Amino acid sequence: MTRNIYTKNIDIESTHIHLKSDINMDVKPIIREQYRTINSTINRNPSFTGFEPVDIESDDHIISLMINAGCIGDTGPMAAVAGSMSQVVLDELLKQNSKYSIIENGGDIAMKINKNTIICIYAGRDNPFSYNYGFKLKPRTSCYGICTSSSDGPSKSFGISDATIVFSSQASISDALATGIGNHANGVDKQDVIHNALSYAEDYDDYFDGVLIIKDDVLGKTGHIPKIVEVNGSISEDYDIE
């Protein structure tokens, strides 16, 4: 039986979620609870907002996700906050037996899908790949995290790539790695920017499926990423566009 797909846009503080799911669930209370938990943790542990990994034990799901991701990506926990928020919402939907859910939070996506889906690339307003190309995703039996860091937009880094996109099994980890790898996307020209970021990424390849770096009209990748397809035209009806 084909389930209905519900689409929602949710804005709470700095969280801006676009959600598509086969579960019609009010996730706003979940998001607000995560904010209370994060703010409480920061009040007790000011180092939580720093740029370095922290060693704090917590029974709270989102805090554990952020701490673990920061340790993996060699970043502060807050580098993974958007991806972790997406991951927590996805985990709650999966508890309701969701088969198809995509949670996009400022470019940081947690998803589990049971049908073919295309996720459009966004690498800044003026980048030629933005909204003209996308990732062709097949059904997956497990969760997937696709997170983006760039020199423009809400998910910022100290690098100058138009987009550093990381694919892994968890959005929190993808988010932290996108920040850490994106911080090293610097150089004298676009090829240098991509080379430096991908060289840095090699030290973390145990934790991701693939990494894509975009600078101007040049792409660079390491590992396995979904097939890139042109979307500036007709798309098979078998695919959704996110």
Side-chain angles (χ1 to χ4, degrees):
M1 182 178 68
T2 301
R3 296 185 178 186
N4 292 329
I5 301 298
Y6 304 93
T7 300
K8 299 178 182 181
N9 291 306
I10 302 165
D11 298 299
I12 298 176
E13 298 190 34
S14 59
T15 294
H16 306 287
I17 282 178
H18 178 66
L19 182 151
K20 293 187 73 173
S21 178
D22 56 358
I23 302 295
N24 188 14
M25 177 180 177
D26 182 9
V27 300
K28 290 181 181 178
I30 297 169
I31 295 170
R32 293 191 179 98
E33 179 61 28
Q34 306 318 305
Y35 269 103
R36 287 191 289 269
T37 299
I38 292 169
N39 289 332
S40 176
T41 301
I42 291 171
N43 289 336
R44 296 193 308 270
N45 305 276
S47 62
F48 197 76
T49 61
F51 295 115
E52 302 293 332
V54 299
D55 183 15
I56 300 171
E57 292 188 4
S58 176
D59 293 329
D60 294 305
H61 184 33
I62 193 166
I63 302 303
S64 296
L65 287 173
M66 293 169 67
I67 291 172
N68 180 61
C71 290
I72 288 173
D74 197 26
T75 66
M78 294 300 290
V81 64
S84 297
M85 188 72 77
S86 293
Q87 188 66 51
V88 167
V89 173
L90 175 62
D91 291 344
E92 291 298 320
L93 290 167
L94 294 181
K95 290 178 183 178
Q96 304 302 315
N97 199 33
S98 172
K99 305 299 183 185
Y100 182 93
S101 286
I102 300 174
I103 300 91
E104 184 266 331
N105 180 19
D108 298 317
I109 300 170
M111 63 191 300
K112 187 174 183 222
I113 55 175
N114 64 349
K115 62 178 179 176
N116 297 324
T117 302
I118 288 179
I119 302 290
C120 287
I121 291 172
Y122 182 74
R125 185 179 309 172
D126 299 324
N127 188 276
F129 293 102
S130 293
Y131 297 124
N132 292 318
Y133 293 86
F135 302 110
K136 184 178 181 180
L137 301 168
K138 296 180 180 181
R140 299 180 61 90
T141 59
S142 58
C143 298
Y144 202 43
I146 306 174
C147 295
T148 303
S149 182
S150 72
S151 56
D152 179 43
S155 300
K156 294 194 175 185
S157 78
F158 296 112
I160 60 171
S161 69
D162 291 330
T164 296
I165 307 172
V166 176
F167 306 81
S168 82
S169 61
Q170 194 174 87
S172 56
I173 293 173
S174 290
D175 196 4
L177 288 174
T179 298
I181 295 168
N183 284 342
H184 289 78
N186 289 294
V188 297
D189 56 35
K190 51 194 174 186
Q191 286 81 10
D192 204 28
V193 167
I194 292 173
H195 171 76
N196 289 337
L198 293 180
S199 294
Y200 180 82
E202 291 177 359
D203 292 336
Y204 299 88
D205 60 3
D206 286 343
Y207 301 103
F208 62 73
D209 292 345
V211 175
L212 179 72
I213 312 293
I214 303 175
K215 179 60 179 174
D216 299 334
D217 59 345
V218 178
L219 303 177
K221 81 172 185 74
T222 185
H224 301 284
I225 68 171
K227 182 179 180 181
I228 296 175
V229 295
E230 190 171 0
V231 298
N232 190 21
S234 62
I235 298 177
S236 166
E237 292 182 358
D238 293 333
Y239 288 84
D240 287 340
I241 302 177
E242 299 305 319

